[in-house]
Amino acid sequence: MAWDEWERLKAKAAAGSSTHMRLNQADGDAGAPGAAPGSYGELKVHNDDLSKVGERAFQLYDRLWNKARVAIPSSDRAAGDLTSQGFALGGGLQHVANRWEEQLRSLMDACAHISNHMRVTKKLHQDDEHFIQRKMSSIDVLDAGFNDRVGEPGKRNPVYGPQPSERKDS
């Protein structure tokens, strides 16, 4: 039964198609590679989004610097006082204070890294966007200049300027 189906599919394919080339997509497949550029999406990065992420990271860094860092010196003092008075709790408190400081520095470094990265990313994307716009506009002008079919049928391509009979010599 499977062999009959295979033979039927082969015959259908041979009868219904002429020799032609198809490049990595089915006809009308808008999501496939090679489809028209606007039909499957574009890379979009909004500067407002990048700015907000970077700003929030910077705000968190400032809050950690102003509020969370305050606990470190007082914990160190308390741990030293307890240890000098012979309490074993002093060593435990010092260990907690050290770990707090390590974790706080790690978090603050991450916030600074995110904030800086968002600034750099925003700048790079902005520069890339300007570069792409310049390149695409020059390609459009070049394409229009080589394509005599641009404009109304039977009329001269406006990219070439006015026809010699239309020029005004003053």
Side-chain angles (χ1 to χ4, degrees):
M1 188 188 289
W3 187 258
D4 292 338
E5 183 180 6
W6 172 249
E7 289 297 327
R8 197 171 54 247
L9 290 172
K10 281 187 355 183
K12 182 179 175 184
S17 65
S18 62
T19 306
H20 65 278
M21 182 185 295
R22 185 170 74 192
L23 298 175
N24 201 21
Q25 73 181 39
D27 295 335
D29 186 4
S39 64
Y40 56 85
E42 300 172 4
L43 172 64
K44 291 184 181 180
V45 176
H46 301 284
N47 285 337
D48 293 343
D49 297 337
L50 296 176
S51 295
K52 287 177 185 175
V53 170
E55 183 180 327
R56 294 291 192 267
F58 185 73
Q59 289 171 354
L60 180 56
Y61 179 90
D62 278 347
R63 287 180 61 201
L64 291 170
W65 177 262
N66 292 329
K67 296 184 180 179
R69 195 178 49 88
V70 174
I72 295 169
S74 59
S75 297
D76 285 340
R77 271 194 310 273
D81 287 347
L82 288 170
T83 302
S84 68
Q85 294 175 24
F87 290 101
L89 183 62
L93 183 56
Q94 186 62 54
H95 175 73
V96 170
N98 290 342
R99 288 292 291 157
W100 175 264
E101 187 174 6
E102 289 172 18
Q103 295 299 318
L104 180 61
R105 284 186 183 167
S106 177
L107 182 57
M108 289 175 69
D109 287 347
C111 289
H113 180 74
I114 291 168
S115 178
N116 292 338
H117 183 70
M118 289 300 110
R119 282 193 191 115
V120 169
T121 301
K122 178 181 173 184
K123 175 81 169 105
L124 288 175
H125 282 296
Q126 189 175 22
D127 290 347
D128 288 345
E129 184 67 25
H130 293 299
F131 175 77
I132 291 168
Q133 285 175 347
R134 285 192 313 270
K135 290 296 182 188
M136 293 306 291
S137 65
S138 65
I139 290 171
D140 287 344
V141 170
L142 184 63
D143 283 348
F146 283 109
N147 189 352
D148 289 330
R149 294 174 294 165
V150 172
E152 290 185 49
K155 300 283 185 177
R156 182 179 168 94
N157 187 334
V159 171
Y160 296 125
Q163 290 187 12
S165 62
E166 296 174 359
R167 291 186 187 149
K168 296 179 182 177
D169 294 325
S170 312

